[in-house]
């Protein structure tokens, strides 16, 4: 790659055309309500009953977390048999789980085709956040991000995206017992979702949207749109669409205050620069009726961490309701950067804070198990570039 390499959204591996799996049966997980209805009618459900059947099956799948048609006891036995003949309830598979000293859990999840993605659960005192992936690897090549060095890329299906949430609920043992409601057993362990794992969610828009619609549906997993945050590196044309069609909170990987530096750190900036990005973000709160945008800013020693950067940052985002999340750089093998010194990060935070913005410094979580931001990359697909290659790609 060179500085002139076009930024494309090519995915090297296209997912098999799901929902038809190996068995020729249709996987129900990941179908929207409309698609589920159509599938049921095609399988022989009388149109008049379709709405009720959708509601019943939806509740079993996404409210009780049931995986067998046999267990859907409010459906007649012959209908359960019909469902089993035509459909499957397929989730990705947890291959391994690591638990950090700080309680963070990292799951390695295998999806169709044998690919793997990572999912991270971060327990906090007042919430539990699940960081989910939208792609295997990432087509973008941000120079500080481990995922960006993984060559193999494919989009996840909607079922594989919502499936990550379902697997985590399995592991946390958080499905309400049939007959009880969500929250009957106290605060939710999995209360928030961040699309901050592997991949660029806005380059897999339709699947991410469908999966989030399922997660937000009040008759199922029922997470409010205000508890879901999508992080983008800046796919400008999709930002308004995200506001209108998903309506979740937005985070942006900002990371630099001049186009020159951002081009190196977040190469998609060469396609849509800071000004275009900020214009799209200015519109977001109004379009999505949400309060503020989160600006993520990774602190890289001697690269983007000066007082002048902090001042430029607050000037650039003037007028946008915002919170600035400062992320101390998380190291990974071969990374061409270092974390800024602690005093530097605090000084930067101070300048931003004095300008009137919340500027939390994100405590790295799960670093001991390589679960922190930007460290994710499936261990089995380490088509890792050399340190020299990464540095060259970054134009360093
Ligand atoms: N592709 C999306 C979402 C995934 S990345 C995006 O780029 O926004 C989630 C966050 O972690 C992003 O802000 C990303 O820039 C940041 N990140 C990536 N590598 C990192 C690293 N090594 N240390 C700290 N943060 C990193
Ligand atoms: Fe992809 Fe985000 Fe990593 Fe950039 S920071 S390479 S967009 S996952």
């Amino acid at each position: 790659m060179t500085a002139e390499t076009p930024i494309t959204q090519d995915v090297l591996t296209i997912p098999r055309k799901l929902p038809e799996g190996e068995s020729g049966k249709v996987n129900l997980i990941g179908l929207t309500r409309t698609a589920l209805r159509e599938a049921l009618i095609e399988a022989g459900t009388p149109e008049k009953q379709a709405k009720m059947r959708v509601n019943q099956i939806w509740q079993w799948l996404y409210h009780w977390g049931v995986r067998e048609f046999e267990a859907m006891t409010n459906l007649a036995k012959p209908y359960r048999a019909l469902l089993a003949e035509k459909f499957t309830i397929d989730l990705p598979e947890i291959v391994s789980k690591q638990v950090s000293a700080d309680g963070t859990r990292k799951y390695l999840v295998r999806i169709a085709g044998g690919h793997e993605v990572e999912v991270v659960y971060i327990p906090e005192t007042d919430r539990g956040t699940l960081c989910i992936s939208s792609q295997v690897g990432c087509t973008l090549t941000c120079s500080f991000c481990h995922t960006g060095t993984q060559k193999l890329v494919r989009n996840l299906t909607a079922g594989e995206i919502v499936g990550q949430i379902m697997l985590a609920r399995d592991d946390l043992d958080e499905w309400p017992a049939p007959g009880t409601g969500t929250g009957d057993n106290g605060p939710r362990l999995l209360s928030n979702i961040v699309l901050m794992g592997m991949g660029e969610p806005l380059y897999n828009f339709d699947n991410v949207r469908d999966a989030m619609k399922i997660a937000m549906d009040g008759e199922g997993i029922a997470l409010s749109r205000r508890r879901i945050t999508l992080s983008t590196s800046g796919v400008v044309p999709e930002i308004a669409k995200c506001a209108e069609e998903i309506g979740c909170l937005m985070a942006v990987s900002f990371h630099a205050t001049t186009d020159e530096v951002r081009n190196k750190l977040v190469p998609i900036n060469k396609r849509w620069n800071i000004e275009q990005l900020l214009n799209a973000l200015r519109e977001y709160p109004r379009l999505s009726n949400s309060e503020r945008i989160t600006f993520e800013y990774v602190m890289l020693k001697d690269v983007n961490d000066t007082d002048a950067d902090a001042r430029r940052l607050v000037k650039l985002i003037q007028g946008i309701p915002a919170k600035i999340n400062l992320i101390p750089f998380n190291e990974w093998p071969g990374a061409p950067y270092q974390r800024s010194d602690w005093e530097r990060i605090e000084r930067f935070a101070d300048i931003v804070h004095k300008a009137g913005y919340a500027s939390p410094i994100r405590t790295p979580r799960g670093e001991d198990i390589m679960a922190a931001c930007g460290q994710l990359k499936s261990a089995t697909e380490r088509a890792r570039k050399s340190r020299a290659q990464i540095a060259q790609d970054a134009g360093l």
Side-chain angles (χ1 to χ4, degrees):
M1 227 179 96
T2 68
E4 275 70 49
T5 308
I7 312 300
T8 69
Q9 65 178 92
D10 290 349
V11 267
L12 305 179
T13 312
I14 309 294
R16 290 184 311 169
K17 202 67 185 133
L18 290 175
E20 293 229 348
E22 271 149 26
S23 56
K25 297 181 185 180
V26 175
N27 182 14
L28 294 187
I29 302 298
L31 297 186
T32 58
R33 276 180 181 269
T34 318
L36 177 57
R37 183 188 144 83
E38 281 163 17
L40 293 180
I41 291 172
E42 192 163 318
T45 308
E47 275 212 49
K48 272 191 178 162
Q49 292 179 8
K51 190 173 176 206
M52 182 174 68
R53 298 291 173 238
V54 167
N55 287 339
Q56 288 170 318
I57 295 169
W58 192 275
Q59 192 176 40
W60 284 116
L61 295 177
Y62 299 117
H63 188 67
W64 315 126
V66 154
R67 303 289 149 74
E68 302 286 338
F69 293 111
E70 207 32 57
M72 302 183 176
T73 46
N74 57 357
L75 302 175
K77 278 207 164 160
Y79 190 62
R80 284 186 241 161
L82 173 78
L83 293 177
E85 190 188 312
K86 306 272 185 187
F87 302 112
T88 59
I89 304 170
D90 274 341
L91 286 184
E93 185 194 343
I94 295 183
V95 181
S96 65
K97 170 175 132 183
Q98 283 171 279
V99 182
S100 157
D102 68 16
T104 300
R105 303 181 186 197
K106 182 169 86 170
Y107 308 104
L108 182 63
V109 170
R110 187 174 298 139
I111 57 172
H115 303 295
E116 285 162 356
V117 291
E118 291 181 333
V119 183
V120 179
Y121 174 73
I122 308 145
E124 289 171 273
T125 44
D126 59 339
R127 66 175 78 184
T129 303
L130 191 72
C131 178
I132 62 175
S133 293
S134 56
Q135 299 182 308
V136 176
C138 185
T139 50
L140 300 170
T141 49
C142 303
S143 51
F144 53 89
C145 174
H146 201 199
T147 309
T149 68
Q150 183 173 315
K151 283 183 181 149
L152 185 68
V153 179
R154 94 140 159 87
N155 281 334
L156 299 193
T157 63
E160 289 164 345
I161 297 169
V162 73
Q164 296 169 52
I165 304 172
M166 299 172 76
L167 290 178
R169 294 195 91 189
D170 289 353
D171 186 56
L172 296 166
D173 198 13
E174 210 194 4
W175 295 102
T180 61
T182 303
D184 280 5
N185 302 316
R188 294 174 73 151
L189 297 172
L190 199 173
S191 62
N192 293 62
I193 300 285
V194 293
L195 279 146
M196 293 187 184
M198 299 164 75
E200 168 50 59
L202 295 186
Y203 271 164
N204 186 13
F205 186 85
D206 291 358
N207 290 320
V208 166
R209 176 200 54 215
D210 289 352
M212 292 307 106
K213 290 252 177 225
I214 295 170
M216 292 187 285
D217 190 297
E219 303 299 312
I221 298 167
L223 287 164
S224 138
R225 63 186 188 88
R226 288 168 194 279
R227 290 184 172 270
I228 299 177
T229 304
L230 182 149
S231 174
T232 181
S233 57
V235 185
V236 165
E238 306 290 314
I239 290 178
K241 227 167 110 187
C242 179
E244 285 156 1
E245 296 184 30
I246 308 178
C248 59
L249 302 181
M250 172 66 66
V252 63
S253 295
F254 206 63
H255 304 325
T257 59
T258 64
D259 282 322
E260 196 195 347
V261 176
R262 195 162 191 272
N263 284 346
K264 286 185 185 155
L265 299 180
V266 189
I268 201 176
N269 194 69
K270 287 183 255 173
R271 178 100 146 236
W272 295 289
N273 64 19
I274 291 180
E275 193 189 342
Q276 291 169 300
L277 176 59
L278 289 171
N279 286 341
L281 293 173
R282 260 192 197 96
E283 288 299 305
Y284 194 88
R286 187 180 57 78
L287 292 175
S288 66
N289 190 25
S290 63
E291 303 89 59
R292 54 184 184 174
I293 307 271
T294 302
F295 284 77
E296 296 162 278
Y297 199 97
V298 62
M299 298 299 294
L300 304 171
K301 189 174 188 162
D302 301 331
V303 175
N304 64 355
D305 61 352
T306 63
D307 287 358
D309 279 303
R311 289 195 203 98
R312 263 197 303 271
L313 176 62
V314 292
K315 208 160 161 217
L316 281 170
I317 65 170
Q318 216 167 36
I320 305 179
K323 160 175 129 182
I324 290 108
N325 243 339
L326 299 174
I327 318 177
F329 174 61
N330 295 312
E331 301 248 347
W332 38 271
Y337 300 106
Q338 287 174 301
R339 179 179 290 181
S340 304
D341 295 335
W342 207 251
E343 305 78 68
R344 184 92 294 277
I345 300 178
E346 283 183 336
R347 168 91 187 130
F348 195 102
D350 200 43
I351 293 173
V352 175
H353 185 71
K354 288 214 168 95
Y357 296 96
S359 55
I361 302 170
R362 199 189 279 171
T363 324
R365 296 289 303 260
E367 263 188 307
D368 52 341
I369 54 168
M370 288 283 284
C373 301
Q375 292 187 317
L376 304 184
K377 177 168 156 174
S378 65
T380 49
E381 284 172 5
R382 284 191 192 281
R384 194 197 297 150
K385 297 179 192 173
S386 67
R387 184 185 287 263
Q389 185 67 46
I390 294 162
Q392 195 193 331
D393 289 354
L396 301 171

